[in-house]
Each structure stands twice: as C-alpha cells, then as structure tokens.
Amino acid sequence: MNPRLLFWVPALLRLLMLLGLAGLAWSMAGVVAGLSVAVLLLLFQILLQLSYLQQLSNWLDDFNSAKLPDGWGAWTDVFSRLYRLRRDDERSQAELTEWLARFRQAMHLLPDGVAIMDDVLFLEWCNPAAERHLGLTLARDKGMRVTNLVRHPDFIDYIVLGRYEQPLTLSLRDRKLIVQIIPFENRRQILVTHDATESARIEEMRRDFIANASHELRTPLTVIVGFLEIASTTPDLDVASRQAHLKLMTEQGHRMQRLIEDMLTLSRLESVDYPLRPEPVAVKAVIEDVLEEARALSGGQHAISASIEGPDVVGSADELRSAFANLASNAVRYTAPGGAVQLRWRDMPEGPQFSVTDTGIGIDQLHIARLTERFYRVDKSRSRETQGTGLGLAIVKHVLLRHRASLSIHSEPGKGSTFTVMFPKR
Ligand code: ADP
C-alpha cells in the first residue's frame, strides 16, 4: 500500500473512533460529558504521541538497532522503517570496516612502499614498507612535506622536473630503490617505492659471472691460438717442440672442457626445470667411488682413508657423488704430497654428516665466508696449477641447498681443513 495511505488511514480511523466515543457520551450523558470525553481522549492521544517522541529522542541519543522501541499505530511504521534503515546502515558500516581492515592488512603485507601525499607533497599516509624504504615514521611525519623527509638531491630533482611517467632509481640508506610518483584524484599523489637491492645484486652477480667465465675461457684459448699460429708460421718446427706444444694445447683444451662442464652443472642445478628427484642413496657406495677417484687423483702421494658408518639418505646419488668428489678432490689438490686426507660418514644427533679432513695448506679465516662464490679462489695460480675451475665449491653449495644440507668449514693456515656437510635429521 502507498505509505501515505498507510499513515493516514489508521490515523483517521483512530480520530473517527475518538469522535464516535465522544458522540456516544454526548448522546448518553449530555454535551458536557461528550466534550469531557473528547478532551480526555485527545489529551491521552497527545500524551501517547509525546511518549513515543520521547522514546525516539532517547533512541537517537544512543542509536542501536537492537534497542529501537516498539510503536503503536503510525509509529509502528516509522519505527520499523527507522529500524530497517539503521540495520542497513550498520551492515554497510560493518562491510566498510571489514574492507578497510582488509585493505590495511594488504598494505601492511605489501613488499612495495606506498605513500599518499596531497598536491603539495604533504604526507597523508604511508604503509610500513614505505616507512622502511624512505626512513619515515607515519605517526611522526604525517603532515610534513615529503621533500623535507627524503632529502636526496636526485629525489628533489625528480619532483622539480615532474617527469613522473619515468621511475627514478635511488640509492638510499644502503638500498637501491625504484621510486615513482603517480598523480591520482585531482589533488593527491601516490609515491610507490620498490626495493631493487636484491635484483641489482643478482644482476651484478650475473655480469661478474659472464666476465669471469669469459676471462677463464680466454686464457686457455689464447695459449691454444698462440701455438696454432706458431705451427702455421713455422712448418719445419722440430718434433720435440711440436710435441711439447701439442701437450700444452691438449691440457688447455681439457681445462676449457672442465670449465664448461662445471658451468653447465651449475646452471642445471640452479634451473627450476631441473627439480631434484629424490631416491634412496646408498651412501657407502657413493663414498667408495669418491675414495677411489681421490686415490687416482693423488697417484699414491697422499694417505687417503675413509670411515663409513652413517645411514643411507634420500636425494640424488649423482649430485651427492659430485659434491663429495669436489670436496675430496680439493683436499687432495690443496695438500702437499705426503699429507693425509680422511673421508668420514657418520650419524650425529643433529643428522648425518660427511666430512673431509686434510693436512693441507689451510685457509685464512677471512676467505672462508666467500669460498662458495663462483670463481672465488684464495690463490688463483695455485688453483689453476691444480686444474681447478673455481666452481667446485659453488657446485657443492647448490647440491647441498637442493638437499637441505649445509656446509661448515674449519681451517687453519698451514695445518689443514675440515669441510663438513650436515644433512637434516630425518
Ligand atoms: P677450485 O677449482 O679453485 O679448487 P673451488 O670452488 O673448489 O675452486 O674452491 C675455491 C677455493 O677454495 C680454492 O681455489 C682454494 O683456494 C680454496 N680451497 C678449497 N678447498 C680447499 C682445501 N681443502 N684446502 C685449502 N684451500 C681450499
């Protein structure tokens, strides 16, 4: 029904009833009685309406949908509509609060920084990542000009020039940041910051790796090309020299081959397309192979022994063989003839451990943290002399990462080293 009719029909009916009652009193007890009844009924009506008004006013002081008073007559409709409005309002407010909480949480977790500024760069709000990146504290810096908070000349120039379509790379507080300002609404701007320190470091590592690898390949190639030139310009070279040149060229060829094999192994170990396929590994057999290889490399010049007591593990037998063999070959290569190398596989309370102990040249403490970097060598010429590629420990590190194992190195210059591979407890 039309809401107006809904209001007026019962009100008129009530008035008619009131007039009927007054008329009845008039006809039964005379005009004074009729008028008195009419006045009393009217007074009662007015008091009733006033009491509803009072209840409505109380409710408006503390509006809560659950406490809305019940009404009578037209008030029923007014109260029920108010109740519906209030309930809808409460629902949308709850939704809004939930959205706001979700938005706040998302902004909190965002690794990128977001700061909202007005048109004259006064800070209105920022998330924790922006606080970290730019060194801000929202509670302290809110309402301050961002150019007074981030006092980097490149940042000031960026704002002065206003070329916001391009991001700015900023070195700030030992981090590399990519910063961009995005104007939004009419009078606001968002400042977005992205921490690119890690990707810059990876990019630098990639550049270093290419430079190092090219350098490592160029050296043997130069030797080979040199001898080839001698061979072509001196056709009547004596047989002994020719033999010596061929021997050196073959050695350099092998060196390039080892280098390329190690680079391929490393790139395979790092590749996501080459996940570890775990299988039970008979560690005893693996270490026996490694022992045999180490003895062949030593050519009987070292005392090499092995004690194998630990359990079998789950992983890749080939990868573990290559990691253990790298450690054993290093021990042989960096230990003078007459020294000793011991391989050991044992079960410890923290998990099984493979260790290689030698009585070799040892390593100064300052090099130890960097040994697993690609091409890092304590002594470049010694590594080359012993046919090292500089990639052995980097390969070991990657194999261990894939097996959730870790490497610890203890060494004393002049006394020897122990490289220990620690597997997690099963
Ligand atoms: P390389 O092919 O040069 O041996 P690695 O990555 O295997 O490369 O080792 C990196 C460097 O760590 C070596 O160049 C050497 O200086 C040092 N190193 C590794 N193992 C030993 C060891 N057992 N004793 C002394 N120095 C070692």
Side-chain angles (χ1 to χ4, degrees), residues 14-304:
R14 236 172 290 132
L15 201 67
L16 276 176
M17 211 169 72
L18 207 140
L19 285 175
L21 281 175
L24 195 68
W26 186 331
S27 65
M28 285 172 63
V31 64
V32 178
L35 282 174
S36 308
V37 167
V39 167
L40 277 176
L41 286 173
L42 268 173
L43 264 176
F44 172 72
Q45 273 296 322
I46 289 169
L47 281 175
L48 193 67
Q49 303 307 322
L50 281 174
S51 95
Y52 282 137
L53 265 177
Q54 158 88 58
Q55 286 182 43
L56 180 62
S57 148
N58 287 347
W59 180 74
L60 284 173
D61 281 345
D62 171 22
F63 49 86
N64 175 340
S65 62
K67 284 202 303 199
L68 197 72
D70 288 328
W72 185 73
W75 284 102
T76 316
D77 181 47
V78 170
F79 284 151
S80 75
R81 274 158 63 192
L82 267 174
Y83 176 74
R84 268 202 306 277
L85 274 176
R86 182 70 202 135
R87 214 185 39 201
D88 289 352
D89 190 38
E90 276 174 1
R91 200 178 300 146
S92 46
Q93 224 174 53
E95 262 171 35
L96 212 69
T97 314
E98 201 186 311
W99 265 106
L100 202 67
R102 224 177 281 162
F103 173 78
R104 282 230 173 95
Q105 201 189 9
M107 282 294 166
H108 239 81
L109 296 175
L110 209 66
D112 286 349
V114 179
I116 297 179
M117 308 168 298
D118 66 11
D119 53 342
V120 276
L121 303 170
F122 284 100
L123 180 69
E124 291 185 344
W125 177 87
C126 70
N127 69 350
E131 289 186 316
R132 269 194 318 276
H133 292 168
L134 302 170
L136 307 176
T137 304
L138 182 61
R140 184 192 61 204
D141 300 330
K142 192 173 172 179
M144 307 252 291
R145 222 182 139 89
V146 172
T147 40
N148 290 336
L149 300 168
V150 184
R151 291 172 165 277
H152 192 292
D154 292 352
F155 183 65
I156 312 274
D157 286 352
Y158 180 65
I159 287 186
V160 170
L161 293 173
R163 295 210 192 105
Y164 296 156
E165 56 296 337
Q166 287 292 328
L168 165 76
T169 305
L170 211 60
S171 290
L172 201 70
R173 301 152 55 82
D174 293 335
R175 309 214 65 82
K176 205 157 225 89
L177 292 181
I178 296 177
V179 173
Q180 187 160 20
I181 290 182
I182 305 162
F184 89 112
E185 287 181 343
N186 236 349
R187 321 191 45 160
R188 285 210 162 70
Q189 335 202 40
I190 306 180
L191 172 70
V192 184
T193 60
H194 173 74
D195 188 345
T197 316
E198 192 54 23
S199 39
R201 196 183 62 84
I202 291 171
E203 175 59 20
E204 195 181 315
M205 264 173 60
R206 196 186 63 84
R207 254 185 280 124
D208 281 357
F209 179 71
I210 292 175
N212 281 325
S214 317
H215 180 76
E216 295 286 337
L217 285 169
R218 198 176 55 187
T219 317
L221 211 54
T222 313
V223 177
I224 293 172
V225 170
F227 286 135
L228 284 176
E229 275 170 6
I230 295 176
S232 59
T233 53
T234 330
D236 49 354
L237 196 70
D238 61 284
V239 176
S241 306
R242 189 175 297 257
Q243 284 302 331
H245 291 183
L246 280 173
K247 186 169 170 274
L248 283 169
M249 285 196 324
T250 313
E251 271 172 26
Q252 297 304 320
H254 284 314
R255 187 171 148 196
M256 285 170 66
Q257 219 167 17
R258 277 196 305 277
L259 203 71
I260 287 169
E261 267 161 24
D262 277 359
M263 289 201 293
L264 286 173
T265 305
L266 253 186
S267 91
R268 219 178 26 235
L269 288 172
E270 278 183 323
S271 159
V272 280
D273 305 330
Y274 185 67
L276 181 75
R277 290 188 209 293
E279 52 182 9
V281 181
V283 181
K284 188 169 189 295
V286 169
I287 295 178
E288 278 166 358
D289 283 355
V290 172
L291 179 68
E292 208 172 298
E293 256 180 61
R295 283 188 173 142
L297 181 67
S298 154
Q301 294 181 302
H302 304 84
I304 308 178

Side-chain angles (χ1 to χ4, degrees), residues 306-377:
S307 93
I308 309 170
E309 293 151 12
D312 286 350
V313 293
V314 171
S316 155
D318 285 344
E319 289 183 20
L320 290 178
R321 187 179 296 112
S322 137
F324 292 177
N326 263 309
L327 295 177
S329 111
N330 279 354
V332 172
R333 291 188 296 116
Y334 296 104
T335 300
V341 172
Q342 195 194 10
L343 315 184
R344 192 186 270 180
W345 174 241
R346 52 195 173 148
D347 204 8
M348 301 294 280
E350 325 69 273
Q353 292 186 354
F354 171 73
S355 63
V356 181
T357 304
D358 63 53
T359 55
I361 58 170
I363 308 155
D364 200 294
Q365 200 59 30
L366 78 124
H367 296 289
I368 288 186
R370 300 196 58 192
L371 287 186
T372 55
E373 286 176 21
R374 293 145 190 224
F375 297 115
Y376 188 86
R377 288 131 158 166

